[in-house]
Amino acid sequence: MDYTAAQSGFRQQHNMRLRNSSVDRPDGSQLFDDTSAAVPGPEGAYRNQQAGPQAEGLPGHSFLSDPMSNLAVAYGSSLASQGREMVDKNLDRFIPISKLKYYFAVDTVYVGKKLGILVFPYMHKNWEVNYQQDIPVAPRFDVNAPDLYIPTMGFITYILVAGLALGTQNRFSPELLGVQASSALVWLIMEVLAVLLSLYLVTVNTDLTTIDLLAFSGYKYVGMIVGIVAGLLFGRPAYYLSLLWCCAAIFVFMIRTLRLKLLSEAAAEGKLVRGTRNQLRMYLTMSIAAAQPIFMYWLTYHLIR
Amino acid sequence: MAFTLYTLIQTTILCTNAIAVLHEERFLSRISRGVDQGVGGFGDDPGVKVQTLNLIRSVRTVMRGG
């Protein structure tokens, strides 16, 4: 009903405009007066209709009932859903989104326990990851499983704390935040690439994926944040002490975690196994673990002065 | 040290280029000579040297197209 009334209203309006334009063309003001004196609703709706189907705030009833705008809305939404499908399909090829979801399946208890282990790994007894039919259990159910939540949050917090540290020393400017962020990101990427390269060269048969390595490399941000905060609150000696403690903790954590993944069964249990292969793997584990404190110091020493 | 992502991209491109332009005769054959006459790599442990040479060869194949 509204539809037909509006339709007929439009046609009448159109005719009226044509007539008006042919008659009143030399006199613009009269044209304006005429049309504004007439029914303002459909006229405004007609004008807006010409402007585009996405007009809003119309006083009229003609927006959604017009077939043109219906068509346009339907077309636009189908285009949008097509676009989204294409993006999803192509994105899934490069970044495995379903696998990423596993790494973010954490809860508060897990995060609390994991942070505790990262800072004090000496009491933790069982470092093995539980499996469930070949798939590692989600981090929510197993403290030893790697996750990406803590590294991501740690990275962001590190940038914020770095900005805070620079601000307390009157060295802050907004570009420095970006510099810190990209610098830390580049070091992280280089470290992961270096570990991947060395794992390839030593031909270790392991089920460590790239994302696992990213997670392990991201755990050091926790220690860095603790060090910087201690340095800000209590001065340089506190910074050095807490950084030393966190470096030792990360070293032990990495060795105990990687030992199970990289070394063969016998060597992982602590027995001395001869052979160059195991020696090489041991060296690899030690160097990966030793790189963590170096990075921790490198990325934080310029923040505490 | 202020590293940017652009620096990282530059570094990877330059390193890949360096691997691609290594001279076969003067350099690579000398290193491969000692390796090929060895085990042949069929054991379950090819060794670091064999792996590096494989890596270099595959990078060169991809970059040089043959």
Side-chain angles (χ1 to χ4, degrees), chain A residues 6-305:
Chain A
Q7 275 283 311
S8 53
F10 280 155
R11 290 213 192 90
Q12 280 174 5
Q13 206 61 38
H14 187 70
N15 290 338
M16 196 167 82
R17 271 193 78 101
L18 277 183
R19 257 183 283 123
N20 274 342
S21 61
S22 61
V23 170
D24 293 331
R25 187 144 303 274
D27 190 356
S29 62
Q30 191 173 3
L31 174 64
F32 262 117
D33 280 341
D34 263 347
T35 55
S36 63
V39 184
E43 178 58 32
Y46 181 63
R47 279 224 189 91
N48 282 338
Q49 197 62 41
Q50 272 186 327
Q54 294 96 359
E56 60 211 19
L58 295 174
H61 40 69
S62 49
F63 175 43
L64 286 173
S65 52
D66 184 58
M68 277 305 277
S69 68
N70 270 346
L71 248 170
V73 165
Y75 184 57
S77 63
S78 83
L79 251 172
S81 64
Q82 263 181 23
R84 175 177 319 172
E85 273 176 31
M86 201 178 323
V87 165
D88 278 345
K89 192 169 54 153
N90 282 332
L91 194 61
D92 208 29
R93 231 188 281 164
F94 295 116
I95 309 175
I97 299 221
S98 48
K99 280 193 217 158
L100 272 182
K101 279 192 193 167
Y102 159 80
Y103 287 97
F104 284 99
V106 296
D107 60 348
T108 324
V109 174
Y110 169 81
V111 171
K113 280 196 205 165
K114 193 81 180 194
L115 287 177
I117 295 179
L118 280 171
V119 174
F120 196 77
Y122 310 106
M123 300 289 286
H124 192 67
K125 297 293 175 211
N126 184 23
W127 292 83
E128 290 212 2
V129 182
N130 298 328
Y131 280 85
Q132 191 189 18
Q133 300 160 354
D134 267 359
I135 311 170
V137 177
R140 200 175 288 155
F141 306 114
D142 180 23
V143 181
N144 296 316
D147 72 314
L148 275 180
Y149 176 78
I150 294 180
T152 323
M153 291 295 139
F155 183 74
I156 298 174
T157 314
Y158 161 73
I159 298 170
L160 295 175
V161 171
L164 183 70
L166 289 173
T168 51
Q169 297 159 20
N170 290 328
R171 282 192 287 151
F172 182 77
S173 80
E175 296 92 35
L176 279 183
L177 275 183
V179 167
Q180 290 286 332
S182 58
S183 191
L185 194 66
V186 164
W187 280 117
L188 184 71
I189 294 177
M190 286 212 293
E191 183 189 347
V192 170
L193 286 178
V195 171
L196 273 175
L197 180 69
S198 47
L199 280 179
Y200 171 76
L201 289 181
V202 179
T203 53
V204 172
N205 292 332
T206 177
D207 54 351
L208 277 179
T209 63
T210 314
I211 309 185
D212 281 338
L213 291 174
L214 194 65
F216 287 138
S217 301
Y219 280 145
K220 60 169 155 334
Y221 289 116
V222 178
M224 280 163 33
I225 294 166
V226 170
I228 301 179
V229 169
L232 283 178
L233 288 177
F234 304 117
R236 288 197 90 183
Y239 163 70
Y240 281 124
L241 276 176
S242 54
L243 198 69
L244 205 62
W245 175 271
C246 291
C247 285
I250 280 283
F251 187 71
V252 170
F253 175 84
M254 291 298 285
I255 292 226
R256 289 208 179 147
T257 311
L258 290 178
R259 194 172 61 167
L260 290 170
K261 301 244 173 193
L262 293 183
L263 300 183
S264 60
E265 297 295 324
E269 284 168 21
K271 308 188 188 100
L272 280 174
V273 181
R274 296 282 166 212
T276 44
R277 213 175 93 196
N278 278 316
Q279 217 177 23
L280 211 51
R281 290 187 186 187
M282 199 61 203
Y283 283 150
L284 181 66
T285 319
M286 301 285 285
S287 46
I288 295 178
Q292 310 290 321
I294 298 178
F295 278 121
M296 281 169 74
Y297 180 67
W298 183 264
L299 286 171
T300 52
Y301 79 99
H302 58 276
L303 294 173
I304 307 281
R305 284 215 189 145

Side-chain angles (χ1 to χ4, degrees), chain B residues 15-17 19-20 53-65:
Chain B
C15 282
T16 321
N17 182 48
I19 296 181
L53 283 170
N54 278 340
L55 185 64
I56 293 178
R57 199 172 306 136
S58 27
V59 169
R60 290 168 67 85
T61 313
V62 170
M63 288 290 140
R64 295 173 78 125

Side-chain angles (χ1 to χ4, degrees), chain B residues 13-33:
Chain B
I13 290 185
L14 288 177
C15 282
T16 321
N17 182 48
I19 296 181
V21 300
L22 284 177
H23 198 282
E24 280 281 350
E25 288 177 7
R26 296 180 197 171
F27 186 69
L28 288 180
S29 50
R30 272 199 217 159
I31 300 188
S32 331
R33 219 183 296 146

Side-chain angles (χ1 to χ4, degrees), chain B residues 44-56:
Chain B
D44 59 346
D45 182 19
V48 182
K49 217 171 184 184
V50 176
Q51 287 289 94
T52 16
L53 283 170
N54 278 340
L55 185 64
I56 293 178

